[in-house]
mmCIF file of all heavy atoms in Angstrom:
data_model
loop_
_atom_site.group_PDB
_atom_site.id
_atom_site.type_symbol
_atom_site.label_atom_id
_atom_site.label_comp_id
_atom_site.label_asym_id
_atom_site.label_seq_id
_atom_site.Cartn_x
_atom_site.Cartn_y
_atom_site.Cartn_z
ATOM 1 N N PRO A 939 -4.556 -6.960 -24.529
ATOM 2 C CA PRO A 939 -6.004 -7.111 -24.712
ATOM 3 C C PRO A 939 -6.669 -5.774 -25.035
ATOM 4 O O PRO A 939 -6.132 -4.705 -24.738
ATOM 5 C CB PRO A 939 -6.472 -7.640 -23.340
ATOM 6 C CG PRO A 939 -5.240 -8.141 -22.658
ATOM 7 C CD PRO A 939 -4.118 -7.312 -23.166
ATOM 8 N N ALA A 940 -7.836 -5.854 -25.603
ATOM 9 C CA ALA A 940 -8.591 -4.645 -25.928
ATOM 10 C C ALA A 940 -8.848 -3.845 -24.657
ATOM 11 O O ALA A 940 -9.221 -4.387 -23.618
ATOM 12 C CB ALA A 940 -9.908 -5.006 -26.601
ATOM 13 N N GLY A 941 -8.631 -2.515 -24.722
ATOM 14 C CA GLY A 941 -8.863 -1.641 -23.579
ATOM 15 C C GLY A 941 -7.647 -1.438 -22.703
ATOM 16 O O GLY A 941 -7.678 -0.640 -21.758
ATOM 17 N N TYR A 942 -6.535 -2.128 -22.995
ATOM 18 C CA TYR A 942 -5.307 -1.999 -22.210
ATOM 19 C C TYR A 942 -4.303 -1.101 -22.942
ATOM 20 O O TYR A 942 -4.306 -1.008 -24.170
ATOM 21 C CB TYR A 942 -4.689 -3.366 -21.929
ATOM 22 C CG TYR A 942 -5.356 -4.095 -20.794
ATOM 23 C CD1 TYR A 942 -6.679 -4.535 -20.898
ATOM 24 C CD2 TYR A 942 -4.688 -4.334 -19.603
ATOM 25 C CE1 TYR A 942 -7.303 -5.192 -19.849
ATOM 26 C CE2 TYR A 942 -5.299 -4.994 -18.547
ATOM 27 C CZ TYR A 942 -6.610 -5.423 -18.681
ATOM 28 O OH TYR A 942 -7.225 -6.068 -17.633
ATOM 29 N N ILE A 943 -3.453 -0.434 -22.164
ATOM 30 C CA ILE A 943 -2.520 0.553 -22.714
ATOM 31 C C ILE A 943 -1.357 -0.141 -23.410
ATOM 32 O O ILE A 943 -0.709 -1.019 -22.844
ATOM 33 C CB ILE A 943 -2.009 1.482 -21.602
ATOM 34 C CG1 ILE A 943 -3.185 2.307 -21.034
ATOM 35 C CG2 ILE A 943 -0.913 2.415 -22.108
ATOM 36 C CD1 ILE A 943 -2.820 3.132 -19.811
ATOM 37 N N VAL A 944 -1.076 0.298 -24.646
ATOM 38 C CA VAL A 944 0.011 -0.251 -25.449
ATOM 39 C C VAL A 944 1.289 0.570 -25.264
ATOM 40 O O VAL A 944 2.383 0.030 -25.143
ATOM 41 C CB VAL A 944 -0.382 -0.288 -26.938
ATOM 42 C CG1 VAL A 944 0.786 -0.741 -27.806
ATOM 43 C CG2 VAL A 944 -1.597 -1.185 -27.144
ATOM 44 N N SER A 945 1.169 1.892 -25.223
ATOM 45 C CA SER A 945 2.331 2.768 -25.049
ATOM 46 C C SER A 945 1.868 4.096 -24.461
ATOM 47 O O SER A 945 0.664 4.396 -24.417
ATOM 48 C CB SER A 945 3.044 2.997 -26.384
ATOM 49 O OG SER A 945 2.180 3.684 -27.293
ATOM 50 N N GLN A 946 2.834 4.896 -23.979
ATOM 51 C CA GLN A 946 2.534 6.196 -23.372
ATOM 52 C C GLN A 946 3.542 7.218 -23.858
ATOM 53 O O GLN A 946 4.692 6.896 -24.145
ATOM 54 C CB GLN A 946 2.570 6.092 -21.848
ATOM 55 C CG GLN A 946 3.880 5.581 -21.276
ATOM 56 C CD GLN A 946 3.781 5.221 -19.798
ATOM 57 O OE1 GLN A 946 2.948 4.400 -19.404
ATOM 58 N NE2 GLN A 946 4.636 5.837 -18.990
ATOM 59 N N SER A 947 3.090 8.466 -23.969
ATOM 60 C CA SER A 947 3.946 9.517 -24.515
ATOM 61 C C SER A 947 4.931 10.068 -23.491
ATOM 62 O O SER A 947 5.922 10.693 -23.864
ATOM 63 C CB SER A 947 3.073 10.667 -25.047
ATOM 64 O OG SER A 947 2.299 11.235 -23.997
ATOM 65 N N VAL A 948 4.692 9.835 -22.202
ATOM 66 C CA VAL A 948 5.591 10.306 -21.142
ATOM 67 C C VAL A 948 6.358 9.111 -20.585
ATOM 68 O O VAL A 948 5.755 8.088 -20.239
ATOM 69 C CB VAL A 948 4.801 10.993 -20.004
ATOM 70 C CG1 VAL A 948 5.751 11.477 -18.913
ATOM 71 C CG2 VAL A 948 3.981 12.161 -20.543
ATOM 72 N N LYS A 949 7.667 9.229 -20.493
ATOM 73 C CA LYS A 949 8.483 8.125 -19.992
ATOM 74 C C LYS A 949 8.177 7.856 -18.525
ATOM 75 O O LYS A 949 7.921 8.777 -17.746
ATOM 76 C CB LYS A 949 9.962 8.440 -20.170
ATOM 77 C CG LYS A 949 10.395 8.480 -21.636
ATOM 78 C CD LYS A 949 11.890 8.739 -21.760
ATOM 79 C CE LYS A 949 12.320 8.733 -23.223
ATOM 80 N NZ LYS A 949 13.777 8.998 -23.360
ATOM 81 N N ALA A 950 8.248 6.589 -18.137
ATOM 82 C CA ALA A 950 7.874 6.168 -16.782
ATOM 83 C C ALA A 950 8.704 6.862 -15.712
ATOM 84 O O ALA A 950 8.193 7.246 -14.661
ATOM 85 C CB ALA A 950 8.004 4.654 -16.640
ATOM 86 N N GLU A 951 10.006 7.043 -15.924
ATOM 87 C CA GLU A 951 10.896 7.577 -14.899
ATOM 88 C C GLU A 951 10.929 9.099 -14.858
ATOM 89 O O GLU A 951 11.570 9.680 -13.980
ATOM 90 C CB GLU A 951 12.319 7.052 -15.118
ATOM 91 C CG GLU A 951 12.441 5.541 -15.038
ATOM 92 C CD GLU A 951 11.989 5.007 -13.697
ATOM 93 O OE1 GLU A 951 12.203 5.683 -12.680
ATOM 94 O OE2 GLU A 951 11.397 3.902 -13.656
ATOM 95 N N LYS A 952 10.235 9.755 -15.760
ATOM 96 C CA LYS A 952 10.271 11.218 -15.806
ATOM 97 C C LYS A 952 9.579 11.812 -14.584
ATOM 98 O O LYS A 952 8.503 11.392 -14.189
ATOM 99 C CB LYS A 952 9.598 11.716 -17.081
ATOM 100 C CG LYS A 952 9.728 13.228 -17.267
ATOM 101 C CD LYS A 952 9.164 13.678 -18.609
ATOM 102 C CE LYS A 952 9.346 15.185 -18.784
ATOM 103 N NZ LYS A 952 8.809 15.659 -20.073
ATOM 104 N N GLN A 953 10.230 12.821 -13.973
ATOM 105 C CA GLN A 953 9.657 13.532 -12.842
ATOM 106 C C GLN A 953 8.800 14.685 -13.381
ATOM 107 O O GLN A 953 9.292 15.539 -14.124
ATOM 108 C CB GLN A 953 10.762 14.090 -11.933
ATOM 109 C CG GLN A 953 11.617 13.007 -11.279
ATOM 110 C CD GLN A 953 10.834 12.233 -10.235
ATOM 111 O OE1 GLN A 953 10.056 12.796 -9.467
ATOM 112 N NE2 GLN A 953 11.042 10.920 -10.204
ATOM 113 N N VAL A 954 7.531 14.703 -13.032
ATOM 114 C CA VAL A 954 6.601 15.672 -13.613
ATOM 115 C C VAL A 954 5.737 16.312 -12.529
ATOM 116 O O VAL A 954 5.612 15.792 -11.421
ATOM 117 C CB VAL A 954 5.678 14.998 -14.662
ATOM 118 C CG1 VAL A 954 6.493 14.434 -15.809
ATOM 119 C CG2 VAL A 954 4.859 13.891 -14.009
ATOM 120 N N VAL A 955 5.144 17.444 -12.892
ATOM 121 C CA VAL A 955 4.141 18.100 -12.054
ATOM 122 C C VAL A 955 2.774 17.720 -12.617
ATOM 123 O O VAL A 955 2.477 18.040 -13.776
ATOM 124 C CB VAL A 955 4.308 19.631 -12.075
ATOM 125 C CG1 VAL A 955 3.217 20.299 -11.248
ATOM 126 C CG2 VAL A 955 5.682 20.028 -11.552
ATOM 127 N N PRO A 956 1.948 17.005 -11.861
ATOM 128 C CA PRO A 956 0.678 16.501 -12.410
ATOM 129 C C PRO A 956 -0.157 17.556 -13.118
ATOM 130 O O PRO A 956 -0.637 17.322 -14.233
ATOM 131 C CB PRO A 956 -0.034 15.952 -11.162
ATOM 132 C CG PRO A 956 1.084 15.517 -10.272
ATOM 133 C CD PRO A 956 2.174 16.534 -10.483
ATOM 134 N N GLY A 957 -0.326 18.715 -12.509
ATOM 135 C CA GLY A 957 -1.200 19.726 -13.092
ATOM 136 C C GLY A 957 -0.662 20.342 -14.368
ATOM 137 O O GLY A 957 -1.405 20.990 -15.108
ATOM 138 N N ASP A 958 0.627 20.153 -14.644
ATOM 139 C CA ASP A 958 1.249 20.737 -15.834
ATOM 140 C C ASP A 958 1.591 19.689 -16.889
ATOM 141 O O ASP A 958 2.308 19.985 -17.840
ATOM 142 C CB ASP A 958 2.538 21.481 -15.447
ATOM 143 C CG ASP A 958 2.274 22.635 -14.499
ATOM 144 O OD1 ASP A 958 1.131 23.135 -14.494
ATOM 145 O OD2 ASP A 958 3.205 23.028 -13.763
ATOM 146 N N THR A 959 1.099 18.479 -16.723
ATOM 147 C CA THR A 959 1.523 17.375 -17.600
ATOM 148 C C THR A 959 0.364 16.820 -18.419
ATOM 149 O O THR A 959 -0.708 16.548 -17.887
ATOM 150 C CB THR A 959 2.145 16.238 -16.771
ATOM 151 O OG1 THR A 959 3.223 16.763 -15.991
ATOM 152 C CG2 THR A 959 2.662 15.130 -17.664
ATOM 153 N N SER A 960 0.627 16.664 -19.710
ATOM 154 C CA SER A 960 -0.336 16.048 -20.620
ATOM 155 C C SER A 960 0.266 14.749 -21.140
ATOM 156 O O SER A 960 1.445 14.696 -21.486
ATOM 157 C CB SER A 960 -0.645 16.983 -21.789
ATOM 158 O OG SER A 960 -1.506 16.364 -22.721
ATOM 159 N N VAL A 961 -0.528 13.700 -21.193
ATOM 160 C CA VAL A 961 -0.038 12.401 -21.655
ATOM 161 C C VAL A 961 -1.024 11.809 -22.646
ATOM 162 O O VAL A 961 -2.236 11.973 -22.516
ATOM 163 C CB VAL A 961 0.167 11.430 -20.462
ATOM 164 C CG1 VAL A 961 -1.129 11.215 -19.707
ATOM 165 C CG2 VAL A 961 0.734 10.091 -20.933
ATOM 166 N N THR A 962 -0.477 11.135 -23.642
ATOM 167 C CA THR A 962 -1.303 10.435 -24.624
ATOM 168 C C THR A 962 -1.022 8.942 -24.515
ATOM 169 O O THR A 962 0.140 8.515 -24.578
ATOM 170 C CB THR A 962 -0.998 10.913 -26.047
ATOM 171 O OG1 THR A 962 -1.291 12.309 -26.149
ATOM 172 C CG2 THR A 962 -1.838 10.137 -27.070
ATOM 173 N N PHE A 963 -2.066 8.177 -24.334
ATOM 174 C CA PHE A 963 -1.944 6.725 -24.261
ATOM 175 C C PHE A 963 -2.460 6.108 -25.563
ATOM 176 O O PHE A 963 -3.520 6.503 -26.068
ATOM 177 C CB PHE A 963 -2.767 6.162 -23.102
ATOM 178 C CG PHE A 963 -2.215 6.488 -21.742
ATOM 179 C CD1 PHE A 963 -2.922 7.310 -20.878
ATOM 180 C CD2 PHE A 963 -0.997 5.977 -21.330
ATOM 181 C CE1 PHE A 963 -2.421 7.617 -19.626
ATOM 182 C CE2 PHE A 963 -0.486 6.268 -20.077
ATOM 183 C CZ PHE A 963 -1.197 7.093 -19.221
#
């Protein structure tokens, strides 16, 4: 539906540091 996320640039299982991570939806 409109307004819902279709894909993300960061894989779901990737371990990341929030303050150092950029993601594109």
